[in-house]
Amino acid sequence: MKRNILSKLIEWKNKKNRKPLIVNGARQVGKTFILKEFGSCYYEKMAYVNCDKNKMLEKIFAQDYNISRILLSLSAILHINIEPENTLIIFDEIQESPTILNSLKYFCEDAPQYHVVVAGSLLGISLHRDTSFPVGKVDMMKMYPMTFDEFLMAIGEQPLVDVLATRDFSIIDSLSIRLIDCLRQYYYVGGMPAAVAEFAETRNLEEVRNIQKQILFDYRRDFSKHAPVQEVPRINMVWDSIPAQLAKENKKFIFGALKKGARASEFEIAIQWLLDAGLIYQINRISTPSIPLKFYEEMSVFKLFVLDIGLMGAMSDAPAESVIVADTLFKHSKVRIFYK
């Protein structure tokens, strides 16, 4: 599947002052896939390493940050002759290895001729655990679920993507029925690559929903695995409340809806954890519609949104017919959906 971030990766490859690149994002948004695609298409060779429970890798980086020794060791265990410029080195699941994260500083300073990319699903959270971060020594790139145009490309609607790119609304309006039909499909399927791939191949909506439910299950399992034990119940409460909060007339997130007498201070860490994991977006209210908007943000008045519209539908158990077919789409909901 084509992803728009690929063009940004190519730009990074061609930068004169290129630094090791961190690709951050929520789990299962396609980071590993796109980095492997990037390596296979734009480099002669690719050295891929998964950092999750890799004891041999830990030994290599535990000794020191001698980049020549590290590269020689990696070449030996991967059976690849790692060469500057034409080999892409990928460290996946970097959040599992703070030592490798810190080594990016030395790749930048001592071996800038090597192309190094790392991917991490919970990198934002790991930074709060006394992890040394190579400030100023890395490039950063955020990856999100698939956009509407990426979804259209995946389901074989490249002509519609081309039409939208023209911004010629006389042509776009003439195709509005087809575009709305595809947009409804996107509302249901969302942008998680596994769900999109299943829909593109089989059009099986039931299986798409099963995949979404599995992703949600995996996210909830991450809460228990990575979050502070005392915060897990609060994280679950915030996460579970989002669809209902968005469906109401409330102008802001209501902490009292989580439990009677709840205060913002009780749930600040839980919300921040979900933000760091990339699973939610916090949109603050603007008191005055003037530029720059940041000047007019009300930090205590906000709404929370799930990272993907398809996952939110799965959390709400929205039936396929109400999303794809019925004209009463979100009739009883105050949710507003925007896409680029």
Side-chain angles (χ1 to χ4, degrees):
M1 292 184 291
K2 295 181 180 179
R3 300 300 302 270
N4 295 331
I5 196 174
L6 184 59
S7 61
K8 295 181 180 180
L9 291 171
I10 297 170
E11 289 177 10
W12 170 81
K13 178 182 187 293
N14 296 325
K15 281 174 61 175
K16 291 183 179 180
N17 58 341
R18 182 191 59 254
K19 302 173 185 176
L21 175 65
I22 295 177
V23 179
N24 198 4
R27 278 190 63 183
Q28 303 189 53
V29 296
K31 298 183 298 297
T32 300
F33 169 83
I34 198 62
L35 290 182
K36 287 185 174 180
E37 183 80 2
F38 176 50
S40 62
C41 293
Y42 295 93
Y43 287 85
E44 293 180 19
K45 291 180 286 187
M46 177 172 57
Y48 173 83
V49 184
N50 192 315
C51 304
D52 188 15
K53 299 179 181 178
N54 192 325
K55 293 183 178 180
M56 187 176 295
L57 195 64
E58 292 173 4
K59 290 181 180 179
I60 291 174
F61 282 86
Q63 296 182 39
D64 54 42
Y65 290 123
N66 184 313
I67 299 301
S68 296
R69 179 192 61 78
I70 289 173
L71 290 172
L72 186 62
S73 300
L74 289 175
S75 294
I77 64 174
L78 298 174
H79 306 289
I80 295 173
N81 183 25
I82 298 175
E83 300 173 345
E85 304 299 338
N86 65 7
T87 304
L88 180 64
I89 304 170
I90 302 173
F91 294 109
D92 203 359
E93 301 295 347
I94 190 69
Q95 73 278 354
E96 301 295 338
S97 182
T99 305
I100 298 177
L101 177 63
N102 193 46
S103 76
L104 299 182
K105 171 185 176 181
Y106 301 93
F107 273 104
C108 177
E109 294 177 344
D110 303 334
Q113 68 273 28
Y114 288 91
H115 295 219
V116 181
V117 181
V118 303
S121 297
L122 291 166
L123 192 58
I125 294 172
S126 70
L127 299 183
H128 295 285
R129 296 182 176 177
D130 300 320
T131 301
S132 179
F133 187 78
V135 178
K137 304 298 181 179
V138 295
D139 293 323
M140 299 286 290
M141 201 174 292
K142 187 72 178 287
M143 190 167 183
Y144 300 92
M146 297 175 71
T147 57
F148 181 50
D149 62 325
E150 290 174 326
F151 172 78
L152 288 174
M153 287 186 283
I155 64 173
E157 294 288 356
Q158 181 65 49
L160 289 181
V161 177
D162 297 337
V163 168
L164 290 174
T166 67
R167 297 185 179 274
D168 185 333
F169 290 99
S170 62
I171 300 176
I172 292 172
D173 286 345
S174 69
L175 296 171
S176 61
I177 294 177
R178 181 61 188 144
L179 283 167
I180 291 172
D181 183 45
C182 290
L183 186 58
R184 285 175 173 271
Q185 294 171 19
Y186 180 65
Y187 285 167
Y188 184 85
V189 178
M192 301 306 287
V196 175
E198 177 65 33
F199 181 74
E201 183 178 351
T202 68
R203 295 300 197 273
N204 187 328
L205 297 177
E206 184 177 352
E207 188 55 35
V208 166
R209 182 50 53 87
N210 289 338
I211 290 172
Q212 292 167 337
K213 291 286 188 180
Q214 182 61 50
I215 292 172
L216 292 172
F217 175 80
D218 291 341
Y219 283 170
R220 193 176 293 276
R221 193 168 54 180
D222 279 345
F223 300 167
S224 300
K225 179 180 178 182
H226 296 284
V229 175
Q230 67 275 14
E231 290 298 326
V232 173
R234 296 186 183 95
I235 291 171
N236 281 315
M237 292 169 70
V238 172
W239 177 252
D240 292 337
S241 76
I242 293 176
Q245 294 258 10
L246 291 174
K248 295 177 181 178
E249 291 280 1
N250 303 332
K251 301 298 183 181
K252 63 178 182 177
F253 189 86
I254 304 297
F255 289 95
L258 302 178
K259 67 175 184 178
K260 188 175 181 179
R263 296 183 178 181
S265 58
E266 296 179 64
F267 292 90
E268 286 178 349
I269 295 177
I271 290 175
Q272 190 60 51
W273 193 94
L274 289 167
L275 288 169
D276 288 342
L279 299 181
I280 62 173
Y281 306 127
Q282 179 177 316
I283 309 300
N284 298 321
R285 188 169 71 184
I286 304 298
S287 59
T288 303
S290 298
I291 301 296
L293 292 176
K294 282 287 183 181
F295 285 3
Y296 306 99
E297 282 187 340
E298 297 183 41
M299 303 306 293
S300 62
V301 183
F302 57 85
K303 286 272 195 176
L304 296 181
F305 294 83
V306 178
L307 79 158
D308 177 67
I309 185 64
L311 292 184
M312 192 175 77
M315 291 171 71
S316 308
D317 288 319
E321 62 271 16
S322 69
V323 180
I324 295 179
V325 181
D327 291 331
T328 56
L329 179 64
F330 302 124
K331 178 180 178 180
H332 302 292
S333 170
K334 301 304 175 184
V335 178
R336 298 293 182 265
I337 299 170
F338 301 91
Y339 68 94
K340 292 202 296 183

